[in-house]
């Protein structure tokens, strides 16, 4: 059984093909094109599909998938065995819910904190008893850089290389901004981990999202390092699990 899963985010779209639970193809695009999608469906002989999107305007995409695959419409009503206590499920981001489903299926029996470092940084916890109480949404790294430039008169917009491994000392304005944003985010993440560790013993921490590899490297020497796993495809794996629920 081959499944096509699509995660349409604020910045990029991610497509993945799974054979059962094995990821056999991945690509990241600025926009999903119908012709390219059809070629992918035919090349991999896709049987099933589902989509998580930050936009509701996916009618054409859903029509194409319904015509060419067995399509599962993903939403927060798909719960598996998860008991959600979220007060407004219709406003819960589908990417966040896909991560909850992934934690339920892949890390069952663990208290799991999922940290997604993308356009925003989101924090969500699924308890060992499969209960979800919501989480937190914070500014992503690029959003922080842009905010400093936008809301001040003289601070420049700083570009940073996410492949870097060290945060420089703030000996000039550019580095001071980088240090404030990057170290500030690391400190924030450590703070959230500490809070959730007090609430949920034997906490497993999963980092995902476009900036997660950089942040994982920064956390390698923290007291929480042994608890942290870098999982770049967590949303996509969650969507794949949805097809089999």
């Amino acid at each position: 059984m081959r499944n096509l899963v699509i995660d349409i985010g604020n910045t990029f779209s991610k497509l993945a093909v799974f054979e059962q639970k094995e990821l056999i193809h991945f690509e990241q695009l600025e926009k999903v094109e119908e012709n390219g999608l059809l070629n992918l469906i035919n090349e991999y002989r896709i049987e099933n599909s589902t989509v998580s999107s930050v936009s509701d305007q996916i009618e054409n995409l859903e029509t194409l998938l319904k015509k060419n695959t067995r399509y599962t419409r993903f939403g927060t009503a798909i719960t598996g065995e998860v008991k959600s206590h979220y007060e407004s499920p219709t406003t819960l981001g589908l990417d966040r819910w896909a991560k909850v489903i992934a934690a339920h299926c892949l890390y069952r029996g663990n208290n799991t904190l999922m940290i997604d470092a993308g356009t925003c940084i989101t924090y969500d916890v699924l308890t060992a008893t499969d209960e979800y109480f919501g989480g937190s949404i914070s500014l992503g790294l690029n959003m922080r850089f842009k905010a400093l430039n936008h809301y001040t008169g003289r601070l420049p917009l700083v570009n940073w290389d996410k492949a870097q491994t060290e945060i420089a000392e703030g000996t000039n304005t550019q580095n001071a901004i980088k240090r404030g944003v990057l170290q500030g985010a690391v400190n924030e993440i450590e703070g959230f981990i500490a809070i959730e560790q007090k609430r949920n013993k034997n906490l497993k921490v999963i980092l995902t999202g476009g900036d997660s590899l950089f942040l994982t490297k920064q956390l390698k020497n923290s007291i929480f390092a042994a608890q942290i796993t870098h999982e770049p495809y967590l949303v996509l794996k969650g969507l794949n699990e949805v097809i089999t629920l």
Side-chain angles (χ1 to χ4, degrees), residues 19 41 67 70 76 99 116 127 166 186 227 244:
E19 186 157 13
I41 289 171
K67 184 177 179 180
R70 288 190 292 270
T76 54
K99 291 190 287 287
D116 191 339
T127 70
E166 295 184 3
V186 171
Q227 301 166 247
T244 61

Side-chain angles (χ1 to χ4, degrees), residues 76 83-92 96-97 132-135:
T76 54
K83 183 177 181 180
S84 177
H85 300 273
Y86 205 71
E87 294 178 0
S88 54
T90 58
T91 66
L92 177 63
R96 291 175 65 194
W97 189 243
Y132 175 68
F133 294 92

Side-chain angles (χ1 to χ4, degrees), residues 2-245:
R2 289 188 171 179
N3 305 327
L4 170 65
V5 300
I6 303 172
D7 174 28
I8 301 175
N10 291 296
T11 307
F12 294 105
S13 295
K14 281 81 70 178
L15 287 74
V17 177
F18 288 86
E19 186 157 13
Q20 304 295 339
K21 294 181 181 291
E22 180 185 359
L23 178 66
I24 61 174
H25 175 82
F26 169 78
E27 57 185 288
Q28 180 172 283
L29 307 168
E30 291 188 0
K31 183 180 179 182
V32 178
E33 300 287 352
E34 291 188 11
N35 288 339
L37 198 57
L38 275 174
N39 291 337
L40 192 66
I41 289 171
N42 292 327
E43 178 184 355
Y44 284 95
R45 299 179 182 178
I46 301 297
E47 299 173 60
N48 308 288
S49 65
T50 192
V51 177
S52 166
S53 176
V54 296
S55 170
D56 294 329
Q57 307 302 314
I58 58 170
E59 291 86 355
N60 292 341
L61 176 59
E62 287 190 308
T63 298
L64 183 150
L65 293 173
K66 288 176 182 177
K67 184 177 179 180
N68 294 278
T69 68
R70 288 190 292 270
Y71 176 68
T72 299
R73 184 160 199 179
F74 178 54
T76 54
I78 297 177
T79 61
E81 299 172 358
V82 176
K83 183 177 181 180
S84 177
H85 300 273
Y86 205 71
E87 294 178 0
S88 54
T90 58
T91 66
L92 177 63
L94 294 183
D95 56 337
R96 291 175 65 194
W97 189 243
K99 291 190 287 287
V100 172
I101 296 296
H104 163 64
C105 295
L106 302 176
Y107 305 104
R108 186 170 299 185
N110 290 283
N111 292 310
T112 306
L113 169 61
M114 296 147 278
I115 303 173
D116 191 339
T119 302
C120 298
I121 301 179
T122 61
Y123 303 85
D124 292 283
V125 174
L126 183 67
T127 70
T129 55
D130 284 325
E131 292 188 272
Y132 175 68
F133 294 92
S136 303
I137 303 173
S138 183
L139 286 82
L141 299 184
N142 286 329
M143 198 180 294
R144 298 177 196 219
F145 283 117
K146 290 178 181 178
L148 283 171
N149 170 248
H150 179 77
Y151 289 106
T152 62
R154 299 183 62 183
L155 292 181
L157 177 59
V158 172
N159 295 314
W160 68 289
D161 180 7
K162 66 176 65 179
Q164 70 184 80
T165 57
E166 295 184 3
I167 300 175
E169 294 294 332
T171 54
N172 57 57
T173 300
Q174 292 265 339
N175 283 346
I177 292 172
K178 286 183 183 179
R179 184 166 182 79
V181 167
L182 301 177
Q183 190 62 55
V186 171
N187 293 351
E188 175 186 295
I189 289 170
E190 289 181 333
F192 271 100
I193 295 173
I195 290 169
E196 294 303 334
Q197 190 174 49
K198 289 180 181 178
R199 294 175 177 172
N200 300 287
K201 301 302 181 184
N202 301 316
L203 185 70
K204 189 173 186 64
V205 181
I206 312 297
L207 260 70
T208 191
D211 294 330
S212 60
L213 181 58
F214 167 80
L215 291 168
T216 301
K217 290 176 181 177
Q218 303 310 308
L219 293 162
K220 65 182 180 181
N221 294 321
S222 77
I223 61 172
F224 308 111
Q227 301 166 247
I228 296 172
T229 299
H230 179 238
E231 175 48 82
Y233 307 116
L234 189 64
V235 172
L236 298 171
K237 289 183 176 182
L239 291 172
N240 185 55
E241 293 292 342
V242 162
I243 291 173
T244 61
L245 286 176

